[in-house]
Amino acid sequence: MQRTIRSLRSAFGFLTRLPVGAWPLQKDLDGVSMWLPLVGAVVGGLAGAVSWAAWAVFAPCPLLLPGIIGCAAWAMVTGGLHLDGVADCGDGLPAEVSRERRLEIMKDSRLGTFGGIFLFFCLMLKAAAIGTLFLRAAGGWRFMALCALAGLLGRVQIFAAMRMPGARKGGMGEAFCRGTRTRHAVAALGVTLVCCALAGLPGLRALLWAALASACVLCYARRRLGGVTGDVFGLSVETTECAALLSFCLPPA
């Protein structure tokens, strides 16, 4: 039980900025992936709650305002962990250089033009999607639940990323793989399917969109890098979250 609680705290300590204790709470990432669905649901749910609160405070106001505030809360809860991957991949993946040079560019902490563009449109897309979803769901608990589901789908696809070869030795991808057991992936998939089914048609449609978005990112990364890195994980999380949020914004079938 103590080991389980430690891995839970480590998952939130590593993947969020919630006050559960400073990272590292344990020496490795063993068992952390088991909590990816819960972490994602909490991150998305908190962002949805902040958006809802923003609407309550500033209403009547343009829907983009709660969207922007919710997007900011999403980034603050995670400490921009995945957004760093978006910026680094934006700089490195499209560059017409060798694979080795792409990896060097992605490892560089400086932000380039393409990385800034990727980051800007990622944030704007998520903010607009949150605002539109707020309108579609008419706010309330359903809105928060769908935001939580988007966060869950974003984190669960990391299991798919872990099936790809690593592009850099000793990277975050390898650390996640070493700490992950088959039962973790099976449990995460089961939780995801149940949550999407409970959400009805929008949930199943979001699952499909999320899977397609993740597959596109991972296939592109493999073609450009020969595998995945921690930055690719971050890009995939953000892309999948945006895809899920956009799917919720579609008109009812």
Side-chain angles (χ1 to χ4, degrees):
M1 176 62 71
Q2 187 176 9
R3 185 176 180 181
T4 300
I5 294 175
R6 185 171 64 249
S7 67
L8 173 61
R9 292 181 62 204
S10 295
F12 278 96
F14 176 65
L15 295 168
T16 75
R17 291 298 178 266
L18 296 177
V20 296
W23 175 264
L25 296 168
Q26 61 187 44
K27 295 180 180 179
D28 52 30
L29 295 176
D30 185 39
V32 166
S33 61
M34 173 172 59
W35 304 105
L36 285 173
L38 178 61
V39 171
V42 170
V43 169
L46 285 175
V50 171
S51 296
W52 188 8
W55 173 259
V57 171
F58 295 106
C61 64
L63 288 173
L64 188 57
L65 180 59
I68 291 175
I69 293 176
C71 182
W74 211 305
M76 290 178 65
V77 171
T78 61
L81 176 66
H82 310 301
L83 292 172
D84 179 67
V86 173
D88 288 340
C89 287
D91 281 331
L93 288 183
E96 294 302 330
V97 293
S98 66
R99 290 182 179 180
E100 292 73 20
R101 179 55 184 153
R102 289 189 190 109
L103 290 171
E104 290 178 7
I105 293 172
M106 291 169 64
K107 196 172 182 179
D108 192 334
S109 60
R110 292 173 295 183
L111 179 64
T113 301
F114 285 109
I117 292 172
F118 267 53
L119 189 58
F120 173 80
F121 282 106
C122 176
L123 291 171
M124 291 302 99
L125 184 62
K126 180 176 282 189
I130 292 173
T132 305
L133 174 58
F134 190 91
L135 175 63
R136 295 282 186 198
W141 295 104
R142 176 173 171 78
F143 167 71
M144 289 176 56
L146 292 178
C147 286
L149 183 56
L152 183 153
L153 288 170
R155 301 311 180 285
V156 167
Q157 61 76 38
I158 289 178
F159 287 102
M162 285 190 287
R163 303 296 297 175
M164 305 287 284
R168 182 186 293 122
K169 296 296 182 182
M172 193 57 64
E174 284 192 1
F176 259 107
C177 288
R178 286 195 302 269
T180 299
R181 306 291 180 268
T182 302
R183 66 178 183 275
H184 299 157
V186 172
L189 179 59
V191 169
T192 301
L193 292 176
V194 169
C195 291
C196 290
L198 290 175
L201 180 60
L204 298 177
R205 185 165 54 190
L207 177 63
L208 176 61
W209 278 50
L212 289 174
S214 176
C216 289
V217 170
L218 296 178
C219 289
Y220 183 63
R222 183 165 187 174
R223 184 167 67 87
R224 303 292 284 179
L225 301 175
V228 297
T229 66
D231 286 329
V232 174
F233 278 28
L235 174 64
S236 188
V237 168
E238 290 292 333
T239 303
T240 304
E241 285 178 344
C242 286
L245 289 169
L246 287 172
S247 74
F248 295 142
C249 296
L250 292 173

